[in-house]
Structures are given as C-alpha cells and as structure tokens.
C-alpha cells in the first residue's frame, strides 16, 4: 500500500519547512549578534530602564525557562523571570493606591459644595444635597456639613431653616459699612 501525497500537501509541507528554516536562520543570526555585542561590552553591566525591563520580561515569560536556558541572553533567565514576577506583583498590588481610612471626596465636589453654600445663603444641607444629586453626585448630608464646617461656614441654629450663615468675618465687615 503506497501513500500518495497530493501536490498541494507537498507544496504546503515544503513551504512550512522553508519558513521554519528561514526563522531558524534569523534566530541564529540574532544569537550571534548578541554574542558579539556581549564581547564588546566586556564585563560591563547593562542598565535597563523600566520599559526595557518590561518588554524583555514579557517576551521571556512567553519563551519559558527551558527555552531561555538554551538561548544566549543578555541577562540570566532567572533575572528575566524575576522581572516578570515583580511586574505581575506590581500589577495586582494596590498598596500605592490605598491609604488609611475612607477616600476623601473629590476637590471639585468640595468646591462645588462651598460655592453653592456661599452663593445661596438660604440653602441648607439637604437643599445642597438635592442640588448635587441633580448633578449626579451622591453626597451625604453629614459630609456636606463637614465640608462647610472645614471652610468656616457654620449652619444656622434654627432647626427649621437649615440655612448656612455667613462666617463671622463677613458679619464684622458688614457692620463696619453699615449694611447687613
């Protein structure tokens, strides 16, 4: 029984073999080029920036430990894979983004609360809270009270009004000019 290979399969196998040989020739050339560059460096140590380390580490991980040991690399396989481990660890480490306690409210929202309170003296915490909700910001009434207190804007003592009083500085300045 003879196996007959049709011409298309023969062409495909020949082409794949030729491409494989071309890739191997390119790899051999690049390995030789690496050896020459290492000889020129002598014993000097190479310095890589973070971007270069990242690019090498990603490619090294794709090749794997066994293949890296067969290649002549500019740094050891252990170093390359160590860079990759640190790269992955940094990706999933949230310690730089975290701080103790609850995250602060955005400065933009704080400025907006203060602006609403100063421009609308008769608005209370809940009215400011409603206006912020209309703008798409969910802020608690107590948070609004804390922001206004930090900026020296004190609430009225009347429980019905819930208004924001002028700070004492404005009252003294108003008294000197005869207006209130």
């Amino acid at each position: 029984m003879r196996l007959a290979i049709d011409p298309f399969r023969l062409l495909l196998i020949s082409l794949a073999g030729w491409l494989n040989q071309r890739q191997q020739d390119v790899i051999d050339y690049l390995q030789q080029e690496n050896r020459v560059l290492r000889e020129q460096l002598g014993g000097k140590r190479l310095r890589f920036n973070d971007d270069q380390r990242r690019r090498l580490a990603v490619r090294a991980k794709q090749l794997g430990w066994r293949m890296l040991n067969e290649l002549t690399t500019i740094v050891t396989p252990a170093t390359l894979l160590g860079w990759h481990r640190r790269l992955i660890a940094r990706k999933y480490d949230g310690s730089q983004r975290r701080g103790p306690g609850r995250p602060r409210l955005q400065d933009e929202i704080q400025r907006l609360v203060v602006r609403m309170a100063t421009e609308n003296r008769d608005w209370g915490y809940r009215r400011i809270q409603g206006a912020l909700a209309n703008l798409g910001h969910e802020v608690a009434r107590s948070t609004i009270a804390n922001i206004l207190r930090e900026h020296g804007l004190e609430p009225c003592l009347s429980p019905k009004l819930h208004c924001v009083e002028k700070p004492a500085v404005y009252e003294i300045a108003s008294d000197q000019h005869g207006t209130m």
Side-chain angles (χ1 to χ4, degrees), residues 66-171:
R66 200 172 281 161
M67 183 62 75
L68 286 173
N69 278 329
E70 294 175 13
L71 295 175
T72 307
T73 57
I74 54 179
V75 292
T76 65
T79 302
L80 287 168
L81 294 175
W83 288 347
H84 188 266
R85 278 192 304 276
R86 282 191 290 279
L87 179 72
I88 295 302
R90 195 174 339 149
K91 178 180 178 182
Y92 292 108
D93 180 25
S95 64
Q96 293 176 351
R97 293 184 296 272
R98 277 185 301 200
R102 187 179 176 112
R104 289 186 54 85
L105 202 60
Q106 293 177 356
D107 290 335
E108 176 187 339
I109 296 175
Q110 287 188 10
R111 284 192 298 271
L112 193 56
V113 168
V114 172
R115 181 176 164 201
M116 285 180 178
T118 54
E119 289 179 0
N120 305 294
R121 295 280 178 198
D122 56 337
W123 283 16
Y125 301 143
R126 296 205 180 182
R127 179 90 183 258
I128 294 172
Q129 182 182 20
L132 288 171
N134 289 338
L135 295 173
H137 303 292
E138 294 296 325
V139 182
R141 189 199 71 78
S142 59
T143 304
I144 294 170
N146 291 337
I147 291 171
L148 294 179
R149 202 170 297 119
E150 285 175 11
H151 288 85
L153 301 170
E154 292 296 325
C156 288
L157 297 176
S158 172
K160 289 183 179 179
L161 294 177
H162 295 292
C163 62
V164 177
E165 285 186 349
K166 297 179 188 176
V169 176
Y170 292 125
E171 291 177 9

Side-chain angles (χ1 to χ4, degrees), residues 39-55:
E39 289 171 4
Q40 287 183 354
L41 279 174
K44 293 180 186 173
R45 197 169 161 194
L46 290 175
R47 303 283 183 198
F48 298 103
N49 63 30
D50 288 339
D51 184 54
Q52 292 167 335
R53 277 191 212 100
R54 183 188 55 79
R55 289 184 303 182

Side-chain angles (χ1 to χ4, degrees), residues 23-35:
Q23 288 175 342
Q24 190 59 45
D25 291 343
V26 169
I27 290 170
D28 291 340
Y29 169 77
L30 291 173
Q31 284 179 333
Q32 193 59 41
E33 188 177 53
N34 267 351
R35 286 186 195 105

